[in-house]
Amino acid sequence: MSKVAYQRPQPIGMMPDVFLSGGLSLDGDERDWVPQSDDVSFKPLILSVSQGYYVNILRVRASGVLSRHRHSGPVHAFTLRGSWHYLEHDWVAQAGDYAFEPPGETHTLVVPEGVDEMATLFHVTGGYTYVDPYGTAVGYEDVFTKLENVRKHYERIGLGADYANRLVR
């Protein structure tokens, strides 16, 4: 009986799985990467508009300060390549490291000199408020702005905006 698949219907209204072959591939199809600037892009893995979170791989191909932001929800980060740190902390995340960022924390993301590429998987619940050094809001990002950027990217490269729907739950 242990090798018999579940025989009953799944719950009514249950969302389908998201499965991405090569989801953690950093060197695969370049079309998977949504540009945010010349040196920064992200690869969306899931965009959960129903629960207010997203999972993506952030890729940075230049050293320097990336952003200063405050979290409204928890963030889990798994460093896959390169290294990064926050000006407000004394640790440096290297490939294979995990970091938990609590709701309410504000920090400044830096990719150190000599790092050609940083790639980190982020699971973000809620959003970011981008702030100046004194906490004045200068912008924001959440699952809805991410989805908008993903849809525009897929449309621009010829896959069509609806290609993003495979990632939306």
Side-chain angles (χ1 to χ4, degrees):
M1 291 299 289
S2 65
K3 293 186 178 183
V4 175
Y6 182 66
Q7 298 297 301
R8 306 280 316 248
Q10 296 294 339
I12 295 171
M14 186 188 90
M15 299 295 291
D17 295 350
V18 171
F19 176 80
L20 300 173
S21 181
L24 287 181
S25 173
L26 302 177
D27 302 313
D29 192 341
E30 195 60 28
R31 298 176 305 168
D32 293 336
W33 296 90
V34 179
Q36 290 184 211
S37 71
D38 289 342
D39 299 316
V40 180
S41 58
F42 68 93
K43 180 180 181 179
L45 301 177
I46 188 166
L47 301 161
S48 181
V49 298
S50 63
Q51 295 187 28
Y53 75 85
Y54 60 91
V55 178
N56 69 187
I57 301 172
L58 178 68
R59 180 177 71 186
V60 182
R61 290 183 162 165
S63 58
V65 174
L66 185 64
S67 72
R68 181 181 309 100
H69 55 272
R70 176 180 304 118
H71 296 283
S72 64
V75 174
H76 302 270
F78 297 89
T79 306
L80 305 174
R81 183 179 285 169
S83 64
W84 58 279
H85 64 93
Y86 291 127
L87 292 179
E88 296 77 11
H89 296 295
D90 60 1
W91 50 262
V92 175
Q94 307 277 348
D97 290 347
Y98 165 79
F100 170 75
E101 303 168 12
E105 180 168 282
T106 302
H107 42 234
T108 309
L109 176 59
V110 176
V111 176
E113 290 294 324
V115 175
D116 295 328
E117 181 178 79
M118 178 277 277
T120 301
L121 184 146
F122 286 100
H123 179 291
V124 178
T125 301
Y128 294 164
T129 301
Y130 294 103
V131 297
D132 71 12
Y134 303 100
T136 302
V138 296
Y140 73 96
E141 183 173 71
D142 60 18
V143 66
F144 302 103
T145 61
K146 284 287 195 187
L147 176 56
E148 181 180 0
N149 289 336
V150 169
R151 290 179 59 80
K152 286 179 182 176
H153 170 69
Y154 289 154
E155 185 68 31
R156 187 172 50 254
I157 65 171
L159 292 172
D162 287 345
Y163 190 67
N165 295 347
R166 67 197 177 96
L167 305 174
V168 177
R169 294 295 179 268

CSV table of all heavy atoms in Angstrom, one decimal, residues 89-141:
chain,number,residue,atom,x,y,z
A,89,HIS,N,25.4,44.9,10.3
A,89,HIS,CA,25.8,43.7,11.0
A,89,HIS,C,27.3,43.4,10.8
A,89,HIS,O,27.9,43.9,9.8
A,89,HIS,CB,24.9,42.5,10.5
A,89,HIS,CG,23.5,42.7,10.8
A,89,HIS,ND1,23.0,42.7,12.0
A,89,HIS,CD2,22.4,42.9,9.9
A,89,HIS,CE1,21.7,42.9,12.0
A,89,HIS,NE2,21.3,43.0,10.7
A,90,ASP,N,27.8,42.5,11.6
A,90,ASP,CA,29.2,42.1,11.5
A,90,ASP,C,29.5,40.8,10.7
A,90,ASP,O,30.6,40.4,10.7
A,90,ASP,CB,29.9,42.1,12.8
A,90,ASP,CG,29.3,41.1,13.8
A,90,ASP,OD1,28.3,40.4,13.4
A,90,ASP,OD2,29.7,41.1,15.0
A,91,TRP,N,28.4,40.2,10.2
A,91,TRP,CA,28.6,38.9,9.5
A,91,TRP,C,28.6,39.2,8.0
A,91,TRP,O,28.2,40.2,7.5
A,91,TRP,CB,27.5,37.9,9.8
A,91,TRP,CG,26.1,38.4,9.7
A,91,TRP,CD1,25.3,38.8,10.8
A,91,TRP,CD2,25.3,38.5,8.6
A,91,TRP,NE1,24.1,39.2,10.3
A,91,TRP,CE2,24.0,38.9,9.0
A,91,TRP,CE3,25.5,38.2,7.2
A,91,TRP,CZ2,23.0,39.2,8.1
A,91,TRP,CZ3,24.4,38.4,6.3
A,91,TRP,CH2,23.2,38.9,6.8
A,92,VAL,N,29.3,38.2,7.3
A,92,VAL,CA,29.3,38.3,5.8
A,92,VAL,C,28.8,36.9,5.3
A,92,VAL,O,29.2,35.9,5.7
A,92,VAL,CB,30.7,38.4,5.3
A,92,VAL,CG1,30.8,38.3,3.7
A,92,VAL,CG2,31.3,39.8,5.7
A,93,ALA,N,27.7,37.0,4.5
A,93,ALA,CA,27.1,35.8,3.9
A,93,ALA,C,27.9,35.3,2.8
A,93,ALA,O,28.2,36.0,1.8
A,93,ALA,CB,25.7,36.0,3.5
A,94,GLN,N,28.3,34.0,2.8
A,94,GLN,CA,29.1,33.3,1.8
A,94,GLN,C,28.2,32.2,1.2
A,94,GLN,O,27.2,31.8,1.8
A,94,GLN,CB,30.3,32.7,2.4
A,94,GLN,CG,31.2,33.6,3.2
A,94,GLN,CD,32.1,34.4,2.3
A,94,GLN,OE1,32.3,34.2,1.1
A,94,GLN,NE2,32.7,35.4,2.9
A,95,ALA,N,28.6,31.7,0.0
A,95,ALA,CA,27.9,30.6,-0.6
A,95,ALA,C,27.7,29.4,0.5
A,95,ALA,O,28.6,29.0,1.1
A,95,ALA,CB,28.6,30.0,-1.8
A,96,GLY,N,26.4,29.0,0.6
A,96,GLY,CA,26.1,28.0,1.5
A,96,GLY,C,25.5,28.5,2.8
A,96,GLY,O,25.0,27.7,3.6
A,97,ASP,N,25.6,29.8,3.1
A,97,ASP,CA,25.1,30.4,4.3
A,97,ASP,C,23.6,30.7,4.2
A,97,ASP,O,23.0,30.9,3.2
A,97,ASP,CB,25.9,31.7,4.6
A,97,ASP,CG,27.3,31.4,5.0
A,97,ASP,OD1,27.7,30.3,5.3
A,97,ASP,OD2,28.1,32.4,5.1
A,98,TYR,N,23.0,30.7,5.4
A,98,TYR,CA,21.6,31.0,5.6
A,98,TYR,C,21.5,32.2,6.6
A,98,TYR,O,22.2,32.3,7.6
A,98,TYR,CB,20.8,29.8,6.2
A,98,TYR,CG,19.5,30.2,6.8
A,98,TYR,CD1,18.4,30.4,5.9
A,98,TYR,CD2,19.3,30.4,8.1
A,98,TYR,CE1,17.1,30.7,6.4
A,98,TYR,CE2,18.0,30.7,8.7
A,98,TYR,CZ,17.0,30.9,7.8
A,98,TYR,OH,15.7,31.2,8.3
A,99,ALA,N,20.6,33.1,6.3
A,99,ALA,CA,20.3,34.3,7.2
A,99,ALA,C,18.8,34.4,7.3
A,99,ALA,O,18.0,34.2,6.4
A,99,ALA,CB,20.9,35.5,6.6
A,100,PHE,N,18.4,34.7,8.5
A,100,PHE,CA,17.0,35.1,8.8
A,100,PHE,C,16.9,36.6,9.2
A,100,PHE,O,17.7,37.0,10.0
A,100,PHE,CB,16.4,34.3,10.0
A,100,PHE,CG,15.1,34.8,10.5
A,100,PHE,CD1,13.9,34.5,9.7
A,100,PHE,CD2,15.0,35.5,11.6
A,100,PHE,CE1,12.7,35.0,10.1
A,100,PHE,CE2,13.7,36.0,12.0
A,100,PHE,CZ,12.6,35.8,11.3
A,101,GLU,N,16.0,37.3,8.5
A,101,GLU,CA,15.9,38.7,8.8
A,101,GLU,C,14.5,39.0,9.4
A,101,GLU,O,13.5,38.7,8.7
A,101,GLU,CB,16.1,39.5,7.5
A,101,GLU,CG,17.4,39.2,6.8
A,101,GLU,CD,17.5,39.7,5.4
A,101,GLU,OE1,16.7,40.4,5.0
A,101,GLU,OE2,18.5,39.3,4.7
A,102,PRO,N,14.4,39.5,10.6
A,102,PRO,CA,13.1,39.6,11.3
A,102,PRO,C,12.3,40.8,10.7
A,102,PRO,O,12.9,41.8,10.2
A,102,PRO,CB,13.5,39.9,12.7
A,102,PRO,CG,14.9,40.5,12.7
A,102,PRO,CD,15.5,39.9,11.5
A,103,PRO,N,11.0,40.7,10.9
A,103,PRO,CA,10.2,41.9,10.5
A,103,PRO,C,10.6,43.1,11.2
A,103,PRO,O,11.0,43.1,12.4
A,103,PRO,CB,8.8,41.5,10.9
A,103,PRO,CG,8.8,40.0,11.1
A,103,PRO,CD,10.2,39.6,11.4
A,104,GLY,N,10.6,44.3,10.5
A,104,GLY,CA,10.9,45.5,11.1
A,104,GLY,C,12.4,45.9,11.0
A,104,GLY,O,12.7,47.1,11.2
A,105,GLU,N,13.2,45.0,10.6
A,105,GLU,CA,14.7,45.3,10.5
A,105,GLU,C,14.9,46.2,9.3
A,105,GLU,O,14.3,46.0,8.3
A,105,GLU,CB,15.5,44.1,10.5
A,105,GLU,CG,17.0,44.4,10.3
A,105,GLU,CD,17.9,43.2,10.5
A,105,GLU,OE1,18.1,42.8,11.7
A,105,GLU,OE2,18.4,42.6,9.6
A,106,THR,N,15.8,47.2,9.5
A,106,THR,CA,16.3,48.0,8.4
A,106,THR,C,17.8,47.8,8.2
A,106,THR,O,18.5,47.7,9.2
A,106,THR,CB,16.0,49.5,8.7
A,106,THR,OG1,14.6,49.7,8.9
A,106,THR,CG2,16.5,50.4,7.5
A,107,HIS,N,18.2,47.5,7.0
A,107,HIS,CA,19.6,47.3,6.7
A,107,HIS,C,20.0,47.7,5.3
A,107,HIS,O,19.1,47.9,4.4
A,107,HIS,CB,20.0,45.8,7.0
A,107,HIS,CG,19.0,44.8,6.5
A,107,HIS,ND1,18.4,43.9,7.3
A,107,HIS,CD2,18.4,44.7,5.3
A,107,HIS,CE1,17.6,43.2,6.6
A,107,HIS,NE2,17.6,43.6,5.4
A,108,THR,N,21.3,47.8,5.1
A,108,THR,CA,21.9,48.3,3.8
A,108,THR,C,22.7,47.1,3.2
A,108,THR,O,23.7,46.7,3.8
A,108,THR,CB,22.8,49.5,4.1
A,108,THR,OG1,22.1,50.4,4.9
A,108,THR,CG2,23.2,50.1,2.8
A,109,LEU,N,22.2,46.6,2.1
A,109,LEU,CA,22.8,45.5,1.4
A,109,LEU,C,24.0,45.9,0.6
A,109,LEU,O,23.9,46.8,-0.2
A,109,LEU,CB,21.8,44.8,0.5
A,109,LEU,CG,22.2,43.6,-0.4
A,109,LEU,CD1,22.8,42.5,0.5
A,109,LEU,CD2,21.1,43.1,-1.2
A,110,VAL,N,25.1,45.2,0.8
A,110,VAL,CA,26.4,45.5,0.1
A,110,VAL,C,27.0,44.2,-0.5
A,110,VAL,O,27.0,43.2,0.2
A,110,VAL,CB,27.4,46.1,1.1
A,110,VAL,CG1,28.8,46.4,0.4
A,110,VAL,CG2,26.9,47.4,1.7
A,111,VAL,N,27.4,44.3,-1.7
A,111,VAL,CA,28.2,43.3,-2.3
A,111,VAL,C,29.7,43.8,-2.3
A,111,VAL,O,30.0,44.8,-2.8
A,111,VAL,CB,27.8,43.0,-3.8
A,111,VAL,CG1,28.7,42.0,-4.4
A,111,VAL,CG2,26.3,42.5,-3.8
A,112,PRO,N,30.6,43.0,-1.6
A,112,PRO,CA,31.9,43.5,-1.4
A,112,PRO,C,32.8,43.6,-2.6
A,112,PRO,O,32.5,42.9,-3.6
A,112,PRO,CB,32.6,42.4,-0.4
A,112,PRO,CG,31.4,41.6,0.1
A,112,PRO,CD,30.3,41.7,-0.9
A,113,GLU,N,33.8,44.4,-2.6
A,113,GLU,CA,34.8,44.6,-3.7
A,113,GLU,C,35.3,43.2,-4.0
A,113,GLU,O,35.5,42.4,-3.1
A,113,GLU,CB,35.9,45.5,-3.3
A,113,GLU,CG,35.5,47.0,-3.2
A,113,GLU,CD,35.1,47.5,-4.6
A,113,GLU,OE1,35.7,47.2,-5.6
A,113,GLU,OE2,34.2,48.4,-4.6
A,114,GLY,N,35.6,42.9,-5.2
A,114,GLY,CA,36.2,41.6,-5.6
A,114,GLY,C,35.2,40.5,-5.9
A,114,GLY,O,35.6,39.5,-6.3
A,115,VAL,N,33.9,40.8,-5.6
A,115,VAL,CA,32.9,39.7,-5.9
A,115,VAL,C,32.3,40.0,-7.3
A,115,VAL,O,31.7,41.1,-7.5
A,115,VAL,CB,31.8,39.8,-4.8
A,115,VAL,CG1,30.6,38.8,-5.2
A,115,VAL,CG2,32.3,39.4,-3.4
A,116,ASP,N,32.5,39.1,-8.2
A,116,ASP,CA,32.1,39.3,-9.6
A,116,ASP,C,30.6,39.0,-9.7
A,116,ASP,O,29.9,39.7,-10.5
A,116,ASP,CB,32.8,38.3,-10.5
A,116,ASP,CG,34.3,38.6,-10.6
A,116,ASP,OD1,34.6,39.8,-10.5
A,116,ASP,OD2,35.1,37.7,-10.8
A,117,GLU,N,30.1,38.1,-8.9
A,117,GLU,CA,28.6,37.8,-8.9
A,117,GLU,C,28.2,37.3,-7.6
A,117,GLU,O,28.8,36.4,-7.0
A,117,GLU,CB,28.4,36.7,-10.0
A,117,GLU,CG,26.9,36.4,-10.1
A,117,GLU,CD,26.6,35.4,-11.2
A,117,GLU,OE1,26.8,34.2,-11.0
A,117,GLU,OE2,26.2,35.8,-12.3
A,118,MET,N,27.1,37.8,-7.1
A,118,MET,CA,26.4,37.3,-5.9
A,118,MET,C,25.0,36.8,-6.3
A,118,MET,O,24.3,37.5,-7.1
A,118,MET,CB,26.2,38.5,-4.9
A,118,MET,CG,25.5,38.0,-3.6
A,118,MET,SD,23.7,38.1,-3.7
A,118,MET,CE,23.3,39.8,-3.4
A,119,ALA,N,24.7,35.6,-5.9
A,119,ALA,CA,23.3,35.1,-6.1
A,119,ALA,C,22.8,34.5,-4.8
A,119,ALA,O,23.5,33.7,-4.1
A,119,ALA,CB,23.4,34.0,-7.2
A,120,THR,N,21.6,35.0,-4.4
A,120,THR,CA,21.0,34.6,-3.1
A,120,THR,C,19.6,34.4,-3.3
A,120,THR,O,18.9,35.2,-3.9
A,120,THR,CB,21.3,35.7,-2.0
A,120,THR,OG1,22.7,35.9,-1.9
A,120,THR,CG2,20.6,35.3,-0.7
A,121,LEU,N,19.1,33.2,-2.8
A,121,LEU,CA,17.7,33.0,-2.8
A,121,LEU,C,17.0,33.6,-1.6
A,121,LEU,O,17.4,33.4,-0.5
A,121,LEU,CB,17.4,31.4,-2.8
A,121,LEU,CG,16.0,31.0,-2.9
A,121,LEU,CD1,15.9,29.7,-3.6
A,121,LEU,CD2,15.3,30.9,-1.5
A,122,PHE,N,16.0,34.5,-1.9
A,122,PHE,CA,15.3,35.2,-0.8
A,122,PHE,C,13.9,34.8,-0.8
A,122,PHE,O,13.2,34.7,-1.9
A,122,PHE,CB,15.4,36.7,-1.1
A,122,PHE,CG,16.7,37.4,-0.7
A,122,PHE,CD1,17.6,37.7,-1.8
A,122,PHE,CD2,17.0,37.7,0.6
A,122,PHE,CE1,18.8,38.3,-1.5
A,122,PHE,CE2,18.2,38.3,0.8
A,122,PHE,CZ,19.1,38.6,-0.2
A,123,HIS,N,13.4,34.4,0.3
A,123,HIS,CA,11.9,34.2,0.6
A,123,HIS,C,11.4,35.3,1.4
A,123,HIS,O,11.8,35.5,2.5
A,123,HIS,CB,11.7,32.8,1.3
A,123,HIS,CG,10.3,32.5,1.6
A,123,HIS,ND1,9.5,33.3,2.5
A,123,HIS,CD2,9.5,31.6,1.1
A,123,HIS,CE1,8.3,32.8,2.5
A,123,HIS,NE2,8.2,31.7,1.7
A,124,VAL,N,10.7,36.2,0.7
A,124,VAL,CA,10.2,37.5,1.3
A,124,VAL,C,8.8,37.5,1.6
A,124,VAL,O,8.0,37.3,0.7
A,124,VAL,CB,10.6,38.7,0.4
A,124,VAL,CG1,10.1,40.0,1.0
A,124,VAL,CG2,12.1,38.7,0.0
A,125,THR,N,8.4,37.6,2.8
A,125,THR,CA,7.0,37.8,3.2
A,125,THR,C,6.7,39.3,3.5
A,125,THR,O,7.5,39.9,4.2
A,125,THR,CB,6.6,37.0,4.5
A,125,THR,OG1,6.9,35.6,4.2
A,125,THR,CG2,5.2,37.1,4.8
A,126,GLY,N,5.6,39.8,2.9
A,126,GLY,CA,5.4,41.2,3.0
A,126,GLY,C,6.2,42.0,2.0
A,126,GLY,O,6.4,41.5,0.9
A,127,GLY,N,6.7,43.1,2.4
A,127,GLY,CA,7.5,43.9,1.4
A,127,GLY,C,8.6,44.6,2.0
A,127,GLY,O,8.9,44.5,3.2
A,128,TYR,N,9.3,45.4,1.1
A,128,TYR,CA,10.4,46.2,1.5
A,128,TYR,C,10.0,47.7,1.4
A,128,TYR,O,9.3,48.0,0.4
A,128,TYR,CB,11.6,46.1,0.6
A,128,TYR,CG,12.3,44.8,0.5
A,128,TYR,CD1,13.2,44.6,-0.6
A,128,TYR,CD2,12.2,43.8,1.5
A,128,TYR,CE1,13.9,43.4,-0.7
A,128,TYR,CE2,12.9,42.6,1.4
A,128,TYR,CZ,13.8,42.4,0.3
A,128,TYR,OH,14.5,41.3,0.2
A,129,THR,N,10.4,48.5,2.3
A,129,THR,CA,10.3,49.9,2.1
A,129,THR,C,11.7,50.4,2.0
A,129,THR,O,12.5,50.2,2.9
A,129,THR,CB,9.6,50.6,3.3
A,129,THR,OG1,8.3,50.1,3.5
A,129,THR,CG2,9.5,52.1,3.1
A,130,TYR,N,12.0,51.0,0.8
A,130,TYR,CA,13.4,51.6,0.6
A,130,TYR,C,13.4,52.9,1.4
A,130,TYR,O,12.5,53.7,1.3
A,130,TYR,CB,13.6,51.7,-0.8
A,130,TYR,CG,13.7,50.4,-1.5
A,130,TYR,CD1,12.7,49.9,-2.3
A,130,TYR,CD2,14.9,49.6,-1.4
A,130,TYR,CE1,12.8,48.7,-3.0
A,130,TYR,CE2,15.0,48.4,-2.0
A,130,TYR,CZ,13.9,48.0,-2.8
A,130,TYR,OH,14.0,46.7,-3.4
A,131,VAL,N,14.5,53.1,2.1
A,131,VAL,CA,14.6,54.3,3.0
A,131,VAL,C,16.0,55.0,2.8
A,131,VAL,O,16.9,54.3,2.4
A,131,VAL,CB,14.4,53.9,4.5
A,131,VAL,CG1,13.0,53.4,4.7
A,131,VAL,CG2,15.4,53.0,5.0
A,132,ASP,N,16.0,56.3,3.2
A,132,ASP,CA,17.3,56.9,3.2
A,132,ASP,C,18.0,56.6,4.6
A,132,ASP,O,17.4,55.8,5.4
A,132,ASP,CB,17.1,58.5,3.0
A,132,ASP,CG,16.4,59.2,4.1
A,132,ASP,OD1,16.3,58.6,5.3
A,132,ASP,OD2,16.1,60.4,3.9
A,133,PRO,N,19.2,57.1,4.9
A,133,PRO,CA,19.8,56.7,6.1
A,133,PRO,C,19.1,57.1,7.4
A,133,PRO,O,19.4,56.5,8.4
A,133,PRO,CB,21.2,57.5,6.0
A,133,PRO,CG,21.4,57.7,4.6
A,133,PRO,CD,20.0,57.9,4.0
A,134,TYR,N,18.1,57.9,7.3
A,134,TYR,CA,17.3,58.4,8.5
A,134,TYR,C,15.9,57.8,8.5
A,134,TYR,O,15.1,58.2,9.3
A,134,TYR,CB,17.3,59.9,8.5
A,134,TYR,CG,18.7,60.4,8.5
A,134,TYR,CD1,19.3,60.9,7.3
A,134,TYR,CD2,19.5,60.4,9.6
A,134,TYR,CE1,20.6,61.4,7.3
A,134,TYR,CE2,20.8,60.8,9.6
A,134,TYR,CZ,21.3,61.3,8.4
A,134,TYR,OH,22.6,61.8,8.4
A,135,GLY,N,15.6,56.8,7.6
A,135,GLY,CA,14.4,56.1,7.7
A,135,GLY,C,13.2,56.7,6.9
A,135,GLY,O,12.1,56.2,6.9
A,136,THR,N,13.5,57.8,6.1
A,136,THR,CA,12.5,58.4,5.3
A,136,THR,C,12.2,57.5,4.1
A,136,THR,O,13.2,57.1,3.3
A,136,THR,CB,12.9,59.8,4.8
A,136,THR,OG1,13.1,60.6,5.9
A,136,THR,CG2,11.8,60.4,3.9
A,137,ALA,N,11.0,57.1,3.8
A,137,ALA,CA,10.7,56.2,2.7
A,137,ALA,C,10.9,56.9,1.4
A,137,ALA,O,10.6,58.0,1.2
A,137,ALA,CB,9.2,55.8,2.8
A,138,VAL,N,11.6,56.1,0.5
A,138,VAL,CA,11.9,56.6,-0.9
A,138,VAL,C,11.3,55.6,-1.9
A,138,VAL,O,11.5,55.9,-3.1
A,138,VAL,CB,13.4,56.8,-1.1
A,138,VAL,CG1,13.9,57.9,-0.1
A,138,VAL,CG2,14.2,55.6,-0.8
A,139,GLY,N,10.7,54.5,-1.5
A,139,GLY,CA,10.1,53.6,-2.5
A,139,GLY,C,9.7,52.3,-1.8
A,139,GLY,O,9.9,52.2,-0.6
A,140,TYR,N,9.1,51.4,-2.5
A,140,TYR,CA,8.7,50.1,-1.9
A,140,TYR,C,8.7,49.0,-3.0
A,140,TYR,O,8.8,49.3,-4.2
A,140,TYR,CB,7.3,50.2,-1.3
A,140,TYR,CG,6.2,50.3,-2.3
A,140,TYR,CD1,5.5,49.1,-2.7
A,140,TYR,CD2,5.8,51.5,-2.9
A,140,TYR,CE1,4.5,49.2,-3.7
A,140,TYR,CE2,4.8,51.5,-3.9
A,140,TYR,CZ,4.2,50.4,-4.2
A,140,TYR,OH,3.2,50.4,-5.2
A,141,GLU,N,8.7,47.8,-2.5
A,141,GLU,CA,8.7,46.6,-3.3
A,141,GLU,C,7.9,45.5,-2.6
A,141,GLU,O,8.1,45.3,-1.4
A,141,GLU,CB,10.1,46.2,-3.6
A,141,GLU,CG,10.2,45.0,-4.6
A,141,GLU,CD,11.7,44.7,-4.9
A,141,GLU,OE1,12.4,44.2,-4.1
A,141,GLU,OE2,12.0,45.0,-6.1
